[in-house]
Amino acid sequence: MAEAEVVTNEQEIQRQIEDGGWQIAWGDPHIGNEPGRPEGRLWVSLPNFKLPDFPDPEDVGPGAGVRLWALTQLQTQAANLVANASLADVSSGDVENAIQELEGYLKQNRSGTRQYGDIGVKAGFAIYRRWNRPKEIAQVFQPYIGIRIAFIPSGPPPSAPPRATSSPFKRFKFQTGTLLHPTDATFAFAITDWNGDGVQDLVAIKKSGTGTGSTEVHIFSGASNFRNLLLTAGTPLPETDETYDFALADWNGDGRPDLFAIQKSKTESGTTEVNILSGASNFQDWLLRKSVVYLPETDENTAFVLADWSGDGKPDLMAVKKRFTDTRLTEVEILSGKSTFQESVLRIGINLGETDANWSFAATKSGSLGSSRLDLVCINRAGQKSTEVGILSGRSLFQEFLVNGSTALPRTDATFDFVVADRDRNGRPDLVAIKKSGTDTRSTEVHVLGE
């Protein structure tokens, strides 16, 4: 009998980690015993320097091997990016901070991604799968560190990000009751153009207490002001609870919005998991099932946003940690969709203090506000006198506000859900406030604010 073929996705995963100009130093791979949970130490061999299985930091000196490797990579990248460029064109403070961050990853045995000015650094474990067709027989973990220069100035410096303007959400553009009865915390909401007519439709995801005994999806036509049903369907996902977040995005590139069910805790793997149901099948077929994410289990302190941050056509997963963070700021970590959420491409504290349950988050491409990247929308139900909205520029890695101010909505509470969409297709984001209960119309209501 012919010996079964053993295959692996090692080269594909390595290409994904190196993609985007990253220079990577690899450690020795090893087989893990627990799916999705890297074991062992971040141990990387470098020229003329090897970080052993950590005796004492004094025994290995100040990290000269890491420093030499990083400086060599940066100098080479600078010269390749811009003719006659060198490390002198990069802030010495950013270089030093980046090197110290790399040293910290190794000495403290931790994964992460940070950006210091033009320099990015990261560390973690590549996760490979090995199959003895058709059965998966092992997961392999390989530690790595990486560094890159994202931009070297040449000629005139880039224009400064626009100064924050007052909120564009000062007036109601549209308000209506819907066909949907008053709702509660067992419902999650999204906005998408489900039927391709160019009008945003309302998606209501019923988690529990359903007639089908499953998580259900109900879609209301935007063209009818949400008074006609486009779809009502049970799904293969059982009834769910507060440990699940939901979102819609096109995962497989067929032009149809797919349903993402993000299980934050109580998972078999002990990590956050992502499930994706195909929109083309009316959410009956799995595109991704119990996919382990490069995150531990999470809770109500973490909000999830889907957006194509990397610009590769695949939705990335943004995890917004509201409080109890190392930086004492709200933090954003972005997991690459291209790597099936195995690689962290950015982890950073943003220009916003720690937040709480009064805050919601969304992503938008605010080109008309002067931004060329995906921006982060921060919605505070408990503003000083109203619901307040800030938009942090993606170009500044969420350090500069494009918009920051009050809205036409009074202070709101947990009976409101918020999404961001361009309802009237004018190229500017609209704030969609979904009032679930306590409404004059005795239905779930939709209120759209914008300019």
Side-chain angles (χ1 to χ4, degrees), residues 203-255:
V203 182
I205 300 140
K206 174 68 168 163
K207 299 182 183 182
S208 62
T210 62
T212 60
S214 69
T215 294
E216 295 181 350
V217 178
H218 308 268
I219 305 180
F220 300 86
S221 161
S224 71
N225 290 340
F226 314 119
R227 297 181 188 279
N228 293 334
L229 264 172
L230 295 175
L231 177 72
T232 182
T235 70
L237 193 65
E239 290 191 328
T240 48
D241 57 20
E242 71 282 352
T243 64
Y244 279 80
D245 277 359
F246 291 89
L248 287 165
D250 181 6
W251 174 250
N252 58 352
D254 65 356

Side-chain angles (χ1 to χ4, degrees), residues 180-208:
L180 185 62
H181 54 75
T183 49
D184 56 22
T186 64
F187 279 81
F189 291 92
I191 293 284
T192 191
D193 181 6
W194 171 252
N195 58 353
D197 64 356
V199 182
Q200 300 288 317
D201 306 308
L202 177 67
V203 182
I205 300 140
K206 174 68 168 163
K207 299 182 183 182
S208 62

Side-chain angles (χ1 to χ4, degrees), residues 121-381:
V121 292
K122 65 180 179 179
F125 289 86
I127 303 176
Y128 315 132
R129 291 180 169 86
R130 288 182 181 171
W131 297 271
N132 187 337
R133 296 288 192 189
K135 182 180 179 181
E136 183 174 333
I137 58 174
Q139 280 195 333
V140 178
F141 303 100
Q142 185 171 17
Y144 67 87
I145 58 172
I147 195 165
R148 72 175 175 182
I149 297 181
F151 173 78
I152 292 285
S154 63
S159 57
R163 298 181 65 183
T165 63
S166 61
S167 170
F169 309 116
K170 293 283 194 180
R171 73 176 183 92
F172 288 99
K173 300 170 68 172
F174 176 76
Q175 300 184 77
T176 185
T178 70
L179 183 65
L180 185 62
H181 54 75
T183 49
D184 56 22
T186 64
F187 279 81
F189 291 92
I191 293 284
T192 191
D193 181 6
W194 171 252
N195 58 353
D197 64 356
V199 182
Q200 300 288 317
D201 306 308
L202 177 67
V203 182
I205 300 140
K206 174 68 168 163
K207 299 182 183 182
S208 62
T210 62
T212 60
S214 69
T215 294
E216 295 181 350
V217 178
H218 308 268
I219 305 180
F220 300 86
S221 161
S224 71
N225 290 340
F226 314 119
R227 297 181 188 279
N228 293 334
L229 264 172
L230 295 175
L231 177 72
T232 182
T235 70
L237 193 65
E239 290 191 328
T240 48
D241 57 20
E242 71 282 352
T243 64
Y244 279 80
D245 277 359
F246 291 89
L248 287 165
D250 181 6
W251 174 250
N252 58 352
D254 65 356
R256 299 298 301 272
D258 305 308
L259 180 66
F260 287 63
I262 302 158
Q263 188 175 359
K264 300 192 283 187
S265 62
K266 302 178 184 177
T267 61
E268 294 177 5
S269 66
T271 70
T272 296
E273 294 180 352
V274 173
N275 306 276
I276 306 177
L277 286 162
S278 160
S281 71
N282 288 340
F283 312 119
Q284 301 307 302
D285 296 336
W286 295 106
L287 297 176
L288 196 64
R289 180 69 171 141
K290 292 184 179 293
S291 177
V292 173
V293 168
Y294 192 61
L295 279 179
E297 288 193 326
T298 48
D299 55 23
E300 69 280 355
N301 188 42
T302 300
F304 288 97
V305 178
L306 283 175
D308 183 11
W309 168 262
S310 304
D312 57 10
K314 234 10 176 177
D316 304 311
L317 186 63
M318 304 174 69
V320 184
K321 189 172 183 181
K322 300 180 182 181
R323 54 181 175 168
F324 310 126
T325 60
D326 294 337
T327 60
R328 297 186 181 179
L329 301 168
T330 296
E331 292 182 350
V332 170
E333 182 159 14
I334 303 179
L335 304 177
S336 160
K338 189 175 180 181
S339 71
T340 319
F341 316 117
Q342 299 298 310
E343 181 189 355
S344 173
V345 297
L346 179 69
R347 182 181 180 187
I348 196 167
I350 67 175
N351 186 16
L352 186 66
E354 291 187 316
T355 49
D356 57 24
N358 287 313
W359 290 78
S360 298
F361 297 88
T364 185
K365 194 164 186 178
S366 314
S368 59
L369 298 175
S371 177
S372 59
R373 295 209 64 166
L374 278 165
D375 306 315
L376 184 67
V377 183
C378 312
I379 304 155
N380 181 12
R381 294 177 176 84

